[in-house]
Amino acid sequence: MQGIGHRRGARQQSALELLTTYSWAFLIIAIFIAAIAVFTGSRPPSSYLPATCNIDPAFPCAQAEISSYNSIVPITFTVLFTNDLGAVISFPSNALNVTLTDVGQSGTNSYLGNCYPQIALQGAVIRCFADIPGTKEPSSGSQVGVNFYVKYSICKNSALSSCTGAYKTTGYSLQSFSSPGTGIYRVSFDTDPQSGRIVVNNIQYTNGDVAFLVGGKETLFASPPLGYSFSSWSINSISSSISSLTSQSTTLTLSSNATITAVFYSSVSSTSVSSTSVSSTSVSSTSVSSTSVSSTSVSSTSVSSTSVSSTSVSSTSVSSTSVSSTSVSSTSVSSTSVSSTSVSSTSLTTTYTYTTTIYYVPITLTNSQGSATPTPFQQMIVADSDSYSSYEQSGLQNVEFTTSPDGQGTVLQAWIEANASSTATHTIYWVNLPNGIGASSSVTIYMNFMPSSVMSSAGPTGEAPELSPSYGEYDNGPNVFPALYANFAGTACPSGWTCSGTSQNNGISIPYSSLLYTSSAFGDNPNQILDMYGEIPAGDSNSNAGVGFSTSSGYNGAFIGFDLNNNPNRVPTSGVVWLCTSTDMYTLQTFASPYENPGTYVWSVYYPSSSGASSYVNYVALSSSSGTMPSSALSVGGFNDQGSQSTIGPIYWMRIRSYPPSGAMPSVSFGSV
């Protein structure tokens, strides 16, 4: 028994030594288990699984989340990914399609949403979101699986007009269902007035826009509309904040859904206020007059034995400014006269300084030909104005072209030929490049969106005469086309032209028995082309009447241009216009759709030498002729003096511009705003 007892005691001693030696390890294990129990008591284990989000490898997914419902903000699915496709892409309306089960509503349903920015450059972070109607939501922290796809197009540049194709990439996400105040937050943007803009991390938002931003600090900037300056910020949020409500550029700390408002005030122009000195010579009881400025406090020194009356002097009102007048000294002459010195008030100048952001688009012009353009050179630029509408005035009055960004460098004269509207997708500009473009080289100019209008008849930006509210009001054509330009405004024949029998009233017509020609000669020059905009009708007889390069001799002189002869010996016998290169050589115009019949177009004649001539309509080549040609430069004009013929016109403008090398206009490539 003693042996047995001895062995039992040994075992008890060993157990005690084990507990004594390793008690610290057991204690740590117990604390760890207790911690797990405490911190996971209210959350299911699934909330600790890592979120996953998979899309196409070209669009690596950064984050996906579903936010919970509240009375203000609906349930929202948000996905963030990067454009690593290697090209600019664009997103149509309802680009995002999301399929969810038992979220928002019972069962499996699909919902549509949008992606921002609409044009995404390479490397841009894209935010897509879809509002989920209904209130049904999983428990907080549980895992939710989402199937979705995104539609997009591939673009050549940042203009929507360059985007083609309809592509779709699918994705799947598995992430925790979040409670309000975590991860990604819904931010609504308001501006007062509504034409203002708010910029967050270089992404621009307009009034009413909604974005889903990752929590943390964001750079915030207020961009005022034309004629306004920044006033203040306001934010409506549970916990998000703006570091300075009075700074135009500030920091947003985002930790909850928010509505951010930028307030602007109408700018006040600088005003200089100066008052004139007032002097008076008084007799007994004569009053001394001081100067007062309306809405301005004026204090004057009292004059003993003399009454001082205040005389109002009209002046511009300056609020919250004090003007002090100089002292008045007087001399008494035994109860008779008082002579007073002049009373002059201090001159006050108040200056307001405003900072306005000038947005611009770099434009690269490439001459791929082996010869340089003429100098100066008129470059055609076709712009999708609608893609820049948030920066433009409605009639493009604030668009200015320069040789450097931010409206700096040399200001270039520009002329809008067609579609002068911020909603147009095909605005035609002509920009005068004083130095042209070298052979096989490129130049970059900048299309700036200025804070106010730069459009006038003196430039730097103008427009075709028929586009202005009053005919020719903003026509700066002579500055863009210095060789020759006429818009036939009013009823007087333009200087340097002869108008015999023509009919002119904001455009010129050439009826039967009339002549029109310039005193200067043009053509027979490979660097010049004649353009004219107006109506050239079909001929109704076999008499000749034409417009182009002509002479004072009319029908009996040399001519290269469009002729209305409807000679029954030629076919077809009606509805045609000829390229006439002498009085007995014609080439029938071939009108390609949509120019199936003569009408009101831009008509062009190229007469480089006595070897031949070519014609164009709306810059599309029609025909050429190498028949009997004049051997010298000719006037520009028209004639209708052989016999009864249709009236040519009205012609709204005629011009000589530089002809591009080999007839190839340098290519145009737009950068990003």
Side-chain angles (χ1 to χ4, degrees), residues 278 287-293 296 298 300 307-313:
V278 179
S287 61
V288 180
S289 301
S290 65
T291 303
S292 67
V293 181
T296 306
V298 181
S300 62
S307 63
V308 180
S309 61
S310 176
T311 304
S312 176
V313 177

Side-chain angles (χ1 to χ4, degrees), residues 582-664:
S582 73
T583 56
D584 60 358
M585 176 63 67
Y586 303 90
T587 301
L588 178 65
Q589 301 303 296
T590 302
F591 285 93
S593 178
Y595 316 113
E596 295 177 352
N597 291 296
T600 302
Y601 305 123
V602 177
W603 307 83
S604 304
V605 180
Y606 180 49
Y607 167 38
S609 68
S610 59
S611 298
S614 303
S615 63
Y616 306 80
V617 60
N618 281 9
Y619 312 110
V620 176
L622 288 180
S623 63
S624 61
S625 175
S626 57
T628 305
M629 302 290 296
S631 57
S632 62
L634 303 173
S635 298
V636 167
F639 66 93
N640 192 343
D641 62 341
Q642 182 185 16
S644 178
Q645 184 57 279
S646 302
T647 296
I648 301 172
I651 302 295
Y652 297 103
W653 48 260
M654 301 180 78
R655 70 189 182 202
I656 293 289
R657 63 175 169 89
S658 298
Y659 190 73
S662 303

Side-chain angles (χ1 to χ4, degrees), residues 465-466 471 486-488 506-508 533-535 600 650-654:
E466 73 279 6
Y471 188 89
N487 63 11
F488 308 105
N506 294 337
I508 196 165
Y533 175 68
E535 180 180 357
T600 302
I651 302 295
Y652 297 103
W653 48 260
M654 301 180 78

Side-chain angles (χ1 to χ4, degrees), residues 44-70:
S46 62
S47 64
Y48 297 98
L49 295 176
T52 59
C53 176
N54 297 307
I55 319 179
D56 187 287
F59 301 124
C61 187
Q63 189 172 358
E65 185 172 284
I66 298 178
S67 64
S68 67
Y69 168 82
N70 64 49

Side-chain angles (χ1 to χ4, degrees), residues 279-312:
S279 63
S280 64
T281 303
S282 60
V283 292
S284 57
S285 301
T286 301
S287 61
V288 180
S289 301
S290 65
T291 303
S292 67
V293 181
S294 60
S295 302
T296 306
S297 174
V298 181
S299 59
S300 62
T301 310
S302 62
V303 182
S304 59
S305 303
T306 307
S307 63
V308 180
S309 61
S310 176
T311 304
S312 176

Side-chain angles (χ1 to χ4, degrees), residues 245-269:
L245 296 178
T246 57
S247 297
Q248 186 174 10
S249 180
T250 185
T251 300
L252 166 66
T253 300
L254 191 62
S255 58
S256 61
N257 297 328
T259 297
I260 298 173
T261 302
V263 179
F264 307 96
Y265 67 92
S266 179
S267 301
V268 181
S269 59

